[in-house]
Amino acid sequence: MSARYEALATKARAMYGRHLGAADLERISRLRSVQDVLSDLRQHPAWAQAAQSIPEDVILTRARLEDALRSQVRQEELRLMSFIPQEDRALMEFPILRSELERILAALRRLHASMAKEVEVLPRAYLARTKVNLKALRECTDFNALADATQGSIYFDALNRLRQTEGLPDYGVTEALLWSVYYRYMLQLIRRRYSGDVRRLLEQAMGSQVDMLNMMHVLRMKQYFPQEDNFLPVLFPFHYKVRPEQISAMCSAPTPQAVLELTEATPYGKVFRNVAPEDLQDRYNEILYRLSRRQLRMGKPSVYTAVAYLNLRELELKTVVSAVEASKYRQDLDPSLLRVLAE
């Protein structure tokens, strides 16, 4: 089976061989201006394509740079698709599904705030594969029109249930619901189409994300909204290795520290040990990085090789943007971000 993915693994490993390391990011964060950062990235093969797409005479903003970096990652995903067997194409639609979700949420934020915000232009190949009417989404003026624009996508049924006679549904509830739709769809796809080691790897990657995100949501609610006792709107209604009764006990725990003590009885005890709620995202990113990098470097070639590569590039993208912000405001880069991409 793995022999069919040797070319994919060779391509992904070669592409990742150009990635930025912790030393690169620390150097970038210490540059004197954002324009200096852009000049540095133009010389580095990891992000030269993105950096060279930005004219030297423009005022560089975090949003503009992030859009350029994300555009490069999308182009890399499209290059990898030529090495993906036909039967794996449905799984590799996950970047399309996530981009649809991001644009639905951007449209909902616009309706709530009554102001538009530019979003990254998708490559033509993405536009051909999306099920969401992106033009209608950009032009919608109420929630009914927003929901109508998603007809045919995996998100339509959930949004259709949120229609109401007036006003807009709660943004936080809608966001949690759509992410639940995404993760449920991906887990069902994995269980329906894969078996053996590949299924185990894919379930571990996706299921572990769901488990950790659910525990992170509970911890954040306990830390920042201690008076709140309804956790259902922010939790995914499924699990991988954390049992429902364990999540229920965490929801009933009186303090964040009590929640952390309960995580010790889960397979993720070490992940949450000695971590403050504000550092949870960095710890989550670090775990995802290590899992993906181990698979890309040493795992048997499979469709997960491509998934691991894209996970790594997404994490690197976020860290590069943080390094740019550190340079812009003459701040030290958060050491936890460097740990995520440590060699």
Side-chain angles (χ1 to χ4, degrees):
M1 177 86 175
S2 63
R4 301 177 58 210
Y5 298 93
E6 288 290 352
L8 167 66
T10 299
K11 180 66 174 177
R13 288 165 183 163
M15 291 167 66
Y16 190 65
R18 305 189 297 263
H19 76 286
L20 294 175
D24 295 311
L25 291 161
E26 191 164 16
R27 183 189 69 252
I28 288 171
S29 71
R30 291 176 177 174
L31 294 173
R32 298 177 64 88
S33 70
V34 180
Q35 291 298 329
D36 287 343
V37 172
L38 191 60
S39 297
D40 187 284
L41 291 177
R42 284 196 177 100
Q43 304 305 313
H44 200 291
W47 295 105
Q49 177 185 328
Q52 290 168 5
S53 72
I54 302 175
E56 295 190 23
D57 57 350
V58 303
I59 297 176
L60 185 62
T61 64
R62 171 178 172 150
R64 183 158 195 166
L65 178 61
E66 186 170 358
D67 283 351
L69 297 175
R70 191 172 299 281
S71 177
Q72 179 176 326
V73 173
R74 297 197 194 282
Q75 293 293 343
E76 291 172 3
E77 187 260 338
L78 293 171
R79 288 203 292 273
L80 285 180
M81 284 298 288
S82 63
F83 297 89
I84 301 291
Q86 187 63 39
E87 60 266 29
D88 294 318
R89 295 295 177 94
L91 179 76
M92 290 304 297
E93 292 291 308
F94 79 91
I96 305 290
L97 299 176
R98 291 176 73 105
S99 69
E100 289 177 344
L101 194 159
E102 291 163 2
R103 278 154 179 75
I104 292 168
L105 292 176
L108 184 57
R109 288 195 297 271
R110 173 174 58 80
L111 293 179
H112 272 285
S114 299
M115 61 182 182
K117 181 182 179 182
E118 290 297 320
V119 292
E120 161 221 5
V121 177
L122 290 174
R124 185 174 300 175
Y126 268 55
L127 297 175
R129 290 154 60 192
T130 183
K131 300 294 192 301
V132 172
N133 185 333
L134 298 178
K135 182 175 184 294
L137 200 61
R138 288 194 302 270
E139 297 174 353
C140 67
T141 57
D142 57 36
F143 185 77
N144 285 336
L146 183 153
D148 289 341
T150 68
Q151 193 159 6
S153 76
I154 66 171
Y155 305 109
F156 175 71
D157 288 343
L159 291 168
N160 199 40
R161 292 196 299 271
L162 291 178
R163 293 181 194 264
Q164 49 198 49
T165 55
E166 59 182 36
L168 297 167
D170 180 82
Y171 180 86
V173 171
T174 306
E175 181 181 28
L177 178 61
L178 293 182
W179 279 111
S180 289
V181 170
Y182 167 79
Y183 280 113
R184 183 186 297 277
Y185 174 84
M186 293 302 299
L187 284 169
Q188 289 176 343
L189 183 66
I190 290 166
R191 290 164 181 168
R192 189 170 64 248
R193 297 201 176 195
Y194 296 93
S195 60
D197 288 343
V198 176
R199 172 171 169 170
R200 179 183 58 78
L201 278 170
L202 292 170
E203 279 193 325
Q204 179 186 12
M206 193 67 64
S208 297
Q209 290 180 50
V210 170
D211 281 347
M212 287 193 288
L213 287 169
N214 269 341
M215 290 189 286
M216 286 165 59
H217 290 332
V218 174
L219 273 166
R220 284 171 174 155
M221 292 284 282
K222 292 290 182 182
Q223 177 77 11
Y224 302 113
F225 304 98
Q227 74 285 354
E228 183 61 60
D229 59 3
N230 180 15
F231 293 81
L232 291 180
V234 299
L235 295 180
F236 302 133
F238 40 90
H239 63 94
Y240 176 53
K241 289 187 176 180
V242 179
R243 300 188 305 275
E245 56 268 29
Q246 290 178 302
I247 290 293
S248 179
M250 292 177 198
C251 293
S252 301
T255 64
Q257 184 56 41
V259 174
L260 287 171
E261 291 171 3
L262 290 170
T263 65
E264 287 288 341
T266 74
Y268 310 96
K270 291 182 179 179
V271 176
F272 288 88
R273 194 171 298 157
N274 301 321
V275 61
E278 60 269 21
D279 297 327
L280 285 170
Q281 188 64 50
D282 292 333
R283 185 67 62 87
Y284 168 83
N285 289 342
E286 189 177 342
I287 297 302
L288 181 59
Y289 173 81
R290 288 177 178 174
L291 176 66
S292 298
R293 191 173 186 198
R294 183 169 63 245
Q295 176 59 30
L296 182 64
R297 283 189 158 187
M298 298 177 290
K300 290 182 179 180
S302 71
V303 66
Y304 185 56
T305 304
V307 175
Y309 174 82
L310 293 173
N311 284 342
L312 290 169
R313 290 297 272 169
E314 186 72 24
L315 290 169
E316 187 177 341
L317 182 158
K318 292 176 181 177
T319 311
V320 170
V321 171
S322 295
V324 172
E325 287 292 284
S327 171
K328 180 178 179 180
Y329 295 110
R330 307 292 177 88
Q331 298 173 342
D332 291 334
L333 186 62
D334 187 340
S336 64
L337 294 173
L338 298 179
R339 286 200 302 270
V340 170
L341 299 183
E343 298 296 334

